[in-house]
Amino acid sequence: MDFYHLLPKIELHAHLNGSLSNSTLAELRELKYGKEVPSGTDDCFYKILNGESLTLEECFKKFQYAHDLTDRREALARATERVIEEFAKDSVIYLELRTTPKCTAQMTKREYLTTVLDVIRKSSENQRGIVVKLLPSIDRSKGVQEAMENVNLAIELSSSFPGLMVAFDLSGNPFGTTFSDFVPALQRAREHGFRLALHCGEFEDEQEVKEMFALGVDRIGHGTFIEGENLAFAQEHKIPFECCLTSNVKCKTVPSYEDHHVAKLLKLKHPVCVCTDDFGVFETSLSQELKICASTFSLTNTDMVEMQRNAIEYSFASEQEKKELRAKIEQFSETLSKEL
Ligand SMILES: [Zn+2]
């Protein structure tokens, strides 16, 4: 096994729906539709079942599949279990998972959120060597009312699931929405102890980034277009960036790995953590993302251990959890130095 696989890793930006692997999608499909193999109308799923390679357009279809296949509690619980298992298999020791509570024909938003939280709670009881937290998301495209609904629901459920919901995420298609409309909901979340890990500067909108900074952002999701004054502000306040290399390259928000803004941040020695975003959709893993980052920017194994050590400090884990995570990285680092 290689260094990247064995390295204990910290994942701070992963969406539940985008983190369903092909085998998870296949399993969920069988759960919902039975063993019947899809016919010509569903070519793309046929390819997934047969392990054939997919075009980028076909990869994006996985978001729709994930949505359709997790519309009931049993399937959603299975999906959450699988995602946690696959991160754990990749030696991820701490995972912050994001998801927007959804209401479907078979479940309410409350049922959605409690289903995911129950699985997370069980996973920590099973002591699989991975600590998992949930970041409820606000999907901008769903509007302000839903945003406030999600915040109120999370506040209400947080006492039943102490320590599991640590922050709020703001994601989704920003076009046609105005950030300031979401401020009251995010403010309310913060007043109730939630940190804010927002998709920020994902598109070119200097003013919006300013407004997010004025509200107070604990971590920056992507931050592709944070430059000039905004970058200076982020530097001054040491706000960590969550950088998702393959996701950005495949979505074409950055032209190539070499041109990824993580290069600039590494040069500035700005706090950065490398994350997957949607490992199922983009067919990657956290090990692979770290490997790509190291090989593109000539980073050593020691640099990569250091990156994981630092990511613990940017996480929303409790002090006790951070202590245990640090110990795991130290143990790995000692073994590594003995081998050298
Ligand atoms: Zn994201």
Side-chain angles (χ1 to χ4, degrees):
M1 279 216 212
D2 74 342
F3 165 81
Y4 293 97
H5 180 81
L6 295 171
L7 172 65
K9 289 172 287 290
I10 310 295
E11 170 64 81
L12 301 181
H13 189 131
H15 299 267
L16 174 64
N17 260 7
S19 301
L20 306 185
S21 65
N22 289 354
S23 64
T24 302
L25 287 173
E27 188 185 335
L28 295 174
R29 192 180 194 288
E30 195 180 316
L31 196 66
K32 184 165 179 179
Y33 297 110
K35 275 194 191 307
E36 210 178 303
V37 174
S39 61
T41 51
D42 203 352
D43 261 358
C44 176
F45 217 102
Y46 181 81
K47 282 186 176 179
I48 291 176
L49 294 177
N50 282 279
E52 291 175 29
S53 59
L54 304 176
T55 64
L56 186 61
E57 218 170 63
E58 287 170 332
C59 278
F60 282 117
K61 273 192 168 180
K62 290 186 200 174
F63 283 119
Q64 293 166 31
Y65 292 142
H67 205 275
D68 171 51
L69 296 174
T70 58
D71 63 343
R72 56 198 76 203
R73 297 191 76 164
E74 187 193 3
L76 178 64
R78 199 89 196 106
T80 312
E81 275 168 22
R82 283 281 175 259
V83 171
I84 296 172
E85 269 170 32
E86 292 192 32
F87 272 113
K89 246 191 242 164
D90 191 33
S91 311
V92 170
I93 55 169
Y94 178 82
L95 164 65
E96 288 181 10
L97 205 53
R98 303 163 186 230
T99 195
T100 308
K102 288 167 203 79
C103 155
T104 71
Q106 280 82 19
M107 86 189 138
T108 62
K109 272 190 177 187
R110 177 190 303 268
E111 285 171 330
Y112 184 99
L113 210 52
T114 53
T115 300
V116 175
L117 285 164
D118 274 332
V119 173
I120 292 178
R121 180 154 61 189
K122 254 184 249 151
S123 82
S124 60
E125 283 163 6
N126 291 347
Q127 302 224 331
R128 236 193 247 113
I130 180 167
V131 176
V132 187
K133 303 284 181 187
L134 184 70
L135 275 59
S137 294
I138 289 171
D139 181 342
R140 297 176 68 149
S141 67
K142 297 266 162 58
V144 180
Q145 201 188 326
E146 285 226 16
M148 198 51 106
E149 247 174 60
N150 296 357
V151 170
N152 288 336
L153 188 59
I155 292 170
E156 198 192 313
L157 291 176
S158 59
S159 57
S160 311
F161 298 91
L164 291 195
M165 279 186 287
V166 284
F168 251 87
D169 166 47
L170 177 78
S171 50
N173 191 346
F175 296 107
T177 70
T178 309
F179 172 71
S180 55
D181 293 342
F182 296 93
V183 169
L186 292 166
Q187 194 113 46
R188 182 164 158 74
R190 225 179 31 179
E191 282 160 10
H192 284 79
F194 289 89
R195 313 287 292 277
L196 299 180
L198 313 181
H199 282 67
C200 171
E202 207 180 349
F203 303 91
E204 236 172 325
D205 190 338
E206 216 178 307
Q207 185 51 35
E208 181 178 287
V209 173
K210 277 204 180 88
E211 288 171 24
M212 286 188 179
F213 285 175
L215 169 69
V217 177
D218 295 289
R219 279 199 325 251
I220 294 165
H222 299 293
T224 318
F225 296 95
I226 295 182
E227 278 152 12
E229 253 179 63
N230 284 335
L231 182 60
F233 184 94
Q235 277 185 273
E236 192 192 330
H237 297 270
K238 297 191 170 58
I239 312 173
F241 279 58
E242 303 153 356
C243 288
C244 313
L245 279 71
T246 297
S247 163
N248 294 160
V249 170
K250 288 199 173 174
C251 292
K252 299 190 171 63
T253 53
V254 304
S256 68
Y257 288 116
E258 291 76 17
D259 294 311
H260 196 279
H261 53 283
V262 75
K264 170 180 74 187
L265 299 168
L266 289 169
K267 220 179 201 172
L268 292 169
K269 299 204 182 311
H270 188 83
V272 154
C273 54
V274 169
C275 310
T276 55
D277 209 7
D278 300 288
F279 83 78
V281 171
F282 300 119
E283 309 203 314
T284 186
S285 66
L286 189 52
S287 296
Q288 197 173 318
E289 292 303 297
L290 291 174
K291 197 172 184 173
I292 290 169
C293 181
S295 66
T296 310
F297 305 108
S298 309
L299 302 173
T300 64
N301 286 359
T302 314
D303 293 333
M304 299 319 280
V305 175
E306 187 64 16
M307 191 184 267
Q308 297 314 296
R309 199 180 275 132
N310 292 337
I312 296 172
E313 309 312 318
Y314 316 148
S315 79
F316 302 135
S318 70
E319 273 316 307
Q320 181 56 33
E321 286 163 340
K322 283 184 181 175
K323 217 171 137 185
E324 287 163 17
L325 294 169
R326 284 183 205 119
K328 284 188 187 179
I329 306 258
E330 279 337 299
Q331 200 186 357
F332 175 81
S333 173
E334 277 167 28
T335 326
L336 194 69
S337 55
K338 269 181 212 151
E339 280 173 11
L340 289 176

